[in-house]
Amino acid sequence: MKVFKNFKEYTSQKPLALSLGMFDGVHLGHKSIVDELIKVGSENNLETAVLTFWPHPRFVFNPNENLKLLNTLEEKQFLLEKCGIDTLFLKEFDEEFRNLTGEEFVRQILVDKLNIKYLIIGYDHSFGKNKSGNFELLQKLSGELGFEVERMEAINIHENNISSTKVRNALLAGNIKEANEMLGYSYSVSGTVVHGKKLGRTIGYPTANIETDPIKLLPKKGAYIVEVFIKGEQYKGMLSIGTNPTVNGEKLTVEVYILDFEGNIYDEKITVAFRDFLHDEIKFEGLEKLIERLDEDKRLTEEFQF
């Protein structure tokens, strides 16, 4: 997959079948758009492309909003490449760009710079200054400017439309299976293993403290069954997101106990994929009660069918 951060670097070899949007999470709704792009591209000898923005426009419009994303930039690129996209445009949502009207964006960017011949948008997508660009505008311009446009309908699971917001809400409620069902894969978090207080090893449950990207959404506080990926190897794990209230902790940490694993992984980058929710964060009366709960969590993790 070719990646362009500047339209000036791009010279069109082939006309494009393109879709635009944030694609945060690259969930099943996004995947349906990509699959249609690839089908159209193959049938019409067009390259497939996605145009997305980084950082998220909401960081520009609402700088004080504490928005967390389902994907880091690295993750988004990986997922789109895995889907089979030929080209990814990562446009900075700067002042000049945010002031383009919907029509200016279509004429100046999509047609003049990118040479689109087929455009696919999601069922609720709008673009341009004051959201002046929509499906109706695209239909109006398509004949004059020589491209076709298609609007994809929403993908439903259990009679609910899939959206990035709904995935975020499911994760924040601890509904891991629901979130994973909408994503079409297990939600994951990556980070570097850093030194912690090392309290876990004193009670028989040494944990790896993961320093995650601050832009990345973490599920709600609590304990989870996870898969852990270290240097290409896969392990079962039980992960905690919280402040360790039993020992009067204050800082939010992400810690994982890795079953059947020994070794020094400080400064290593590891990935955890969430598979199920165990329980909310609990403040135990003492370490003995904490260990009892950890023993039970370990039993449930060992029995979980990955």
Side-chain angles (χ1 to χ4, degrees):
M1 183 176 73
K2 302 183 290 288
V3 180
F4 295 92
K5 295 186 178 179
N6 190 326
F7 294 141
K8 293 173 185 172
E9 299 167 1
Y10 176 73
T11 52
S12 172
Q13 304 298 315
K14 255 187 183 181
L16 295 180
L18 178 140
S19 184
L20 58 134
M22 277 312 302
F23 284 80
D24 188 30
V26 192
H27 54 60
L28 289 181
H30 298 135
K31 182 74 164 48
S32 72
I33 291 173
V34 171
D35 288 346
E36 180 68 6
L37 270 182
I38 292 170
K39 175 174 168 285
V40 166
S42 175
E43 290 172 350
N44 297 278
N45 194 30
L46 304 172
E47 275 199 12
T48 56
V50 164
L51 167 58
T52 189
F53 303 100
W54 196 267
H56 198 296
R58 278 168 62 179
F59 290 127
V60 177
F61 288 115
N62 305 299
N64 297 321
E65 181 185 9
N66 188 29
L67 175 67
K68 302 293 183 183
L69 301 180
L70 299 172
N71 295 146
T72 64
L73 182 54
E74 181 183 2
E75 289 168 348
K76 184 186 290 194
Q77 288 183 219
F78 170 79
L79 289 165
L80 287 170
E81 183 166 23
K82 190 177 173 184
C83 287
I85 288 294
D86 295 321
T87 302
L88 176 63
F89 296 102
L90 290 169
K91 182 67 182 80
E92 181 186 357
F93 198 76
D94 54 24
E95 195 65 31
E96 179 186 3
F97 201 81
R98 69 183 284 187
N99 283 316
L100 287 176
T101 66
E103 183 164 343
E104 288 169 340
F105 172 70
V106 174
R107 292 181 182 276
Q108 297 174 25
I109 305 299
L110 297 184
V111 175
D112 291 349
K113 284 193 168 70
L114 303 185
N115 190 23
I116 66 158
K117 292 299 175 189
Y118 205 102
L119 180 65
I120 300 177
I121 63 168
Y123 71 99
D124 61 349
H125 188 71
S126 59
F127 56 91
K129 188 174 182 180
N130 300 323
K131 297 186 176 181
S132 54
N134 53 30
F135 182 64
E136 288 67 35
L137 174 71
L138 292 169
Q139 283 183 308
K140 185 180 118 184
L141 294 175
S142 61
E144 176 196 342
L145 299 175
F147 65 88
E148 291 185 62
V149 60
E150 178 182 352
R151 177 166 58 186
M152 295 290 290
E153 294 307 313
I155 297 295
N156 293 295
I157 287 183
H158 310 309
E159 300 183 0
N160 284 316
N161 294 347
I162 296 174
S163 70
S164 301
T165 298
K166 286 178 181 172
V167 176
R168 285 192 202 102
N169 290 341
L171 292 168
L172 292 172
N175 296 329
I176 296 301
K177 289 184 175 179
E178 180 187 335
N180 289 347
E181 193 175 12
M182 289 189 281
L183 288 168
Y185 60 89
S186 295
Y187 187 70
S188 67
V189 172
S190 300
T192 304
V193 178
V194 297
H195 290 274
K197 293 183 177 179
K198 300 181 174 62
L199 293 171
R201 66 179 59 180
T202 67
I203 57 173
Y205 284 94
T207 59
N209 278 53
I210 308 171
E211 191 173 70
T212 62
D213 191 318
I215 209 172
K216 177 82 175 179
L217 180 85
L218 295 175
K220 74 179 287 191
K221 290 180 184 178
Y224 296 86
I225 295 173
V226 296
E227 287 176 277
V228 187
F229 299 90
I230 306 169
K231 297 180 181 177
E233 298 294 325
Q234 182 179 342
Y235 304 88
K236 288 185 175 185
M238 37 201 264
L239 178 138
S240 167
I241 299 173
T243 58
N244 297 308
T246 303
V247 292
N248 299 316
E250 294 179 357
K251 182 185 175 186
L252 185 74
T253 61
V254 180
E255 303 177 50
V256 60
Y257 171 73
I258 308 164
L259 278 65
D260 304 315
F261 176 81
E262 290 183 11
N264 182 351
I265 51 172
Y266 287 119
D267 300 321
E268 291 285 347
K269 184 173 182 180
I270 70 172
T271 297
V272 294
F274 290 82
R275 298 302 301 274
D276 206 358
F277 180 69
L278 284 166
H279 56 80
D280 287 316
E281 183 176 50
I282 303 169
K283 182 171 183 177
F284 294 95
E285 294 175 4
L287 291 179
E288 190 176 316
K289 293 289 186 186
L290 169 60
I291 294 168
E292 284 178 13
R293 183 70 242 196
L294 288 170
D295 289 343
E296 175 64 7
D297 289 351
K298 183 179 180 183
R299 182 188 68 78
L300 293 169
T301 302
E302 287 172 333
E303 292 177 357
F304 187 83
Q305 295 299 309
F306 280 76

